[in-house]
Amino acid sequence: MSDAAVLVIDDDADMRDLVRLVVEPTNVDVVEAATCVEGIAACRAYRDRICLVLLDYFMPGMVPACCARQLCTLTGSAAIVLCTAGVNPAARAAEVGLSRWLAKPFELDALETLVRDAVRRHTPPLASQPATQEILECPRGSG
């Protein structure tokens, strides 16, 4: 596998499996998280390898904007893409402070292109940039 990894944060196991099936044949590892808290911990643990984060909008336990904000503080150069089946995905992405989105259901080619572009742009953070250890206080919610 490459030095790059994709982090998929989605409470739907089938969605996480789909991402794995599409991404792993490209020699990129997939790190899975079923909640935002797990995703933030995984982002912290694999910070130097993550080149792309796929974040589901409707997640239990944490408001999507808070999850996105915390991921942005941890990811460095990694792209964070909001994945949603909700109406108006561009507005949902803007609502949580992200500029990129992927509407569910999506074409597998679109996911492959996102991964390929993220791997190409990936630059691991410098060792002198430690990962923030605190978790920001955020309101709980289901999105």
Side-chain angles (χ1 to χ4, degrees):
M1 295 286 173
S2 74
D3 288 337
V6 171
L7 171 59
V8 57
I9 305 171
D10 199 307
D11 57 334
D12 181 352
D14 290 338
M15 178 64 178
R16 295 190 312 269
D17 287 344
L18 175 65
V19 171
R20 182 175 294 285
L21 287 170
V22 171
V23 173
E24 283 187 341
T26 68
N27 291 321
V28 174
D29 287 331
V30 175
V31 177
E32 297 180 32
T35 68
C36 285
V37 171
E38 288 176 13
I40 291 163
C43 189
R44 194 173 283 119
Y46 297 98
R47 181 176 186 250
D48 58 334
R49 296 189 59 222
I50 293 175
C51 64
L52 174 65
V53 177
L54 300 173
L55 173 63
D56 184 28
Y57 181 83
F58 292 107
M59 293 290 291
M62 188 179 287
V63 176
C66 184
C67 187
R69 203 169 39 250
Q70 290 190 49
L71 290 167
C72 286
T73 66
L74 295 170
T75 57
S77 66
I80 302 174
V81 178
L82 185 73
C83 299
T84 182
V87 176
N88 198 345
R92 297 249 185 212
E95 171 189 319
V96 300
L98 299 175
S99 60
R100 300 185 74 182
W101 51 269
L102 189 60
K104 294 179 185 177
F106 51 81
E107 295 291 325
L108 298 183
D109 290 347
L111 178 58
E112 290 171 346
T113 299
L114 272 175
V115 171
R116 193 173 36 254
D117 291 348
V119 169
R120 187 174 39 247
R121 287 188 323 273
H122 179 61
T123 14
L126 300 173
S128 63
Q129 297 173 334
T132 304
Q133 290 300 314
E134 69 183 79
I135 292 183
L136 303 172
E137 278 300 312
C138 295
R140 293 196 164 289
S142 60

